[in-house]
Amino acid sequence: MSISDKIIELQAAAEAAMAKASTTAALEDVRVEFLGRKAELPNLLRGVAELPPQERGAVGKAANEARKSLERQLDQKAGQLAVAELDTRLEQDRVDVTLPADPLPAIGRLHLITQTRREIEDVFIGLGYAIADGPEVETVYYNFDALNHDATHPARAWTDTFYISDDVLLRTHTSPMQVRSMELQKPPIYVIVPGRVYRRDSDITHTPQFHQIEGLAVDEGITLTDLKGTLLTFARAIFGPEREIRLRPHFFPFTEPSVEVDVSCFNCHNGVLDNGDRCGLCKGTAWIEILGSGMVDPNVLLHVKDNGYDPETVQGFAFGMGIERIAMLKHGVTDLRLFYDNDIRFLEQFA
Ligand code: DAH
């Protein structure tokens, strides 16, 4: 094959390879293959010197033009590919800075006490009750006197209660909000009061600070059956629609009659587990105590008689429950102190 034919063949092969190259990198490979130091075309150019003089001019010129033409085409195509590649990269790497940031991953959840409080609040809001907040630093008057506690009631003792002075203390229950609420609002009143309470107590079932929810309903013609219906609705909402409640006679200074309220055990049948064992939750009794309650004592109403609470015209019921107790029963928590240890392994279990 003559050198001229070889040049034509190489140029055609180079142009075909160039046409196939779809990236700048592939194109550079073509450049090296056909125009690099070890490529055939430059070699041919070097061989021109050995040709007979009359051929040198034409062949040298042809080879040179072929090389220049290839370089021009390579440069042109490289330019086009580079622009296309930049376009794709810009398209793929595009960040829309106007998009809203991703929301932060959730970093926690509500404490079981808060969850339980809100659940109970929801039930009573559904029954038309308002929610009130009261002071944790309370007077002896609202905490004991106005609630009909006689002078010798044991809860008054400094060994049981945190006193700040002779007549100021950390409230031992949420019940002081009964008289406070009735001072602020004429009857009818339907209110619940969640909040912290304090007692000098500390063991597996007592902490010096815990949470209660007080309930108070005063209106004309309220009877014990209203109390029972309300608390049955509450018990079914919290512990399941199959629940029953029972009222047991009890004593509280500020209610008359007073009752303790039990819910039917949701862990067993009549005190017996499926495997025949005695139920540990209700201790085989089929009932679990959940709260204290009763009809508001007329002596309590007399403190707010001037605001419309004449015991001759209005009656009411009250109840008080421990939020921890409800949460422990419902979720099988066995040690009250777990609520306050802040061990993440405990807290995480209650989504
Ligand atoms: N205050 C009571 C306690 O802390 C609970 C209680 C019992 C509240 C009866 C009431 C009630 O409103 O009627 O043990």
Side-chain angles (χ1 to χ4, degrees):
M1 189 192 287
S2 75
I3 293 187
S4 310
D5 288 347
K6 186 76 194 163
I7 291 170
I8 291 166
E9 191 189 277
L10 281 171
Q11 182 161 12
E15 282 171 1
M18 221 186 297
K20 270 207 282 174
S22 60
T23 64
T24 48
L27 201 64
E28 281 318 296
D29 290 344
V30 174
R31 191 190 294 273
V32 170
E33 183 181 346
F34 289 95
L35 297 176
R37 274 199 310 125
K38 291 178 192 152
E40 253 182 291
L41 190 62
N43 259 337
L44 283 180
L45 272 167
R46 269 170 242 132
V48 167
E50 282 136 49
L51 288 174
Q54 67 274 26
E55 286 178 29
R56 275 185 214 158
V59 173
K61 195 171 169 221
N64 235 337
E65 271 168 9
R67 195 195 66 200
K68 279 195 181 136
S69 154
L70 284 178
E71 271 170 356
R72 219 184 317 108
Q73 293 180 64
L74 278 165
D75 289 347
Q76 197 190 345
K77 180 148 190 194
Q80 289 166 358
L81 284 177
V83 168
E85 283 172 10
L86 183 63
D87 280 350
T88 2
R89 237 183 311 131
L90 286 175
E91 182 61 33
Q92 284 167 352
D93 293 354
R94 191 174 61 183
V95 174
D96 185 347
V97 292
T98 66
L99 283 175
D102 282 346
L104 284 176
I107 52 169
R109 58 198 67 192
L110 292 179
H111 192 283
L112 185 56
I113 301 283
T114 308
Q115 285 182 42
T116 307
R117 170 174 59 73
R118 290 192 180 181
E119 224 178 296
I120 298 167
E121 287 173 357
D122 278 352
V123 176
F124 285 100
I125 287 172
L127 293 173
Y129 284 66
I131 300 180
D133 219 1
E136 292 169 29
V137 177
E138 188 50 282
T139 60
V140 168
Y141 172 74
Y142 288 110
N143 198 86
F144 293 129
D145 300 340
L147 290 172
N148 206 34
H149 286 64
D150 67 43
T152 63
H153 194 279
R156 288 181 184 262
W158 66 268
T159 44
D160 287 358
T161 297
F162 294 105
Y163 279 90
I164 285 161
S165 68
D166 282 350
D167 40 33
V168 179
L169 43 68
L170 297 183
R171 67 178 175 189
T172 62
H173 50 180
T174 43
S175 306
M177 275 302 284
Q178 290 186 21
V179 169
R180 281 187 178 277
S181 310
M182 289 189 284
E183 284 178 348
L184 291 170
Q185 184 189 323
K186 294 186 190 309
I189 190 169
Y190 293 85
V191 68
I192 60 165
V193 186
R196 290 188 196 89
V197 300
Y198 301 84
R199 292 183 195 177
R200 290 197 162 206
D201 242 343
S202 192
D203 59 42
I204 190 172
T205 52
H206 298 90
T207 46
Q209 176 252 290
F210 60 104
H211 299 80
Q212 287 189 335
I213 293 189
E214 192 76 12
L216 177 71
V218 183
D219 205 339
E220 286 175 21
I222 296 237
T223 70
L224 196 70
T225 58
D226 297 311
L227 182 163
K228 186 168 185 187
T230 302
L231 294 180
L232 179 61
T233 302
F234 156 76
R236 288 183 173 171
I238 298 296
F239 294 110
E242 259 88 79
R243 300 283 75 75
E244 296 296 339
I245 62 167
R246 76 174 180 188
L247 312 185
R248 273 181 294 106
H250 198 73
F251 173 78
F252 296 104
F254 40 93
T255 43
E256 185 61 32
S258 300
V259 291
E260 276 189 333
V261 179
D262 298 338
V263 64
S264 57
C265 187
F266 39 85
N267 192 44
C268 64
H269 294 288
N270 290 319
V272 184
L273 296 175
D274 285 344
N275 67 7
D277 286 355
R278 187 188 81 138
C279 175
L281 190 62
C282 65
K283 306 200 173 58
T285 66
W287 295 97
I288 304 169
E289 182 196 324
I290 51 168
L291 55 86
S293 181
M295 301 306 290
V296 179
D297 193 304
N299 286 340
V300 174
L301 296 177
L302 285 176
H303 289 284
V304 279
K305 186 177 172 188
D306 289 349
N307 204 28
Y309 292 90
D310 184 344
E312 296 299 327
T313 56
V314 292
Q315 299 74 37
F317 61 79
F319 55 88
M321 66 183 97
I323 301 181
E324 282 83 349
R325 179 166 178 77
I326 303 291
M328 286 174 87
L329 290 171
K330 186 165 173 166
H331 299 278
V333 177
T334 49
D335 187 335
L336 179 66
R337 293 168 296 195
L338 286 168
F339 287 124
Y340 304 108
D341 286 345
N342 278 339
D343 186 329
I344 208 85
R345 292 167 301 177
F346 171 75
L347 299 173
E348 269 180 351
Q349 294 175 51
F350 310 102

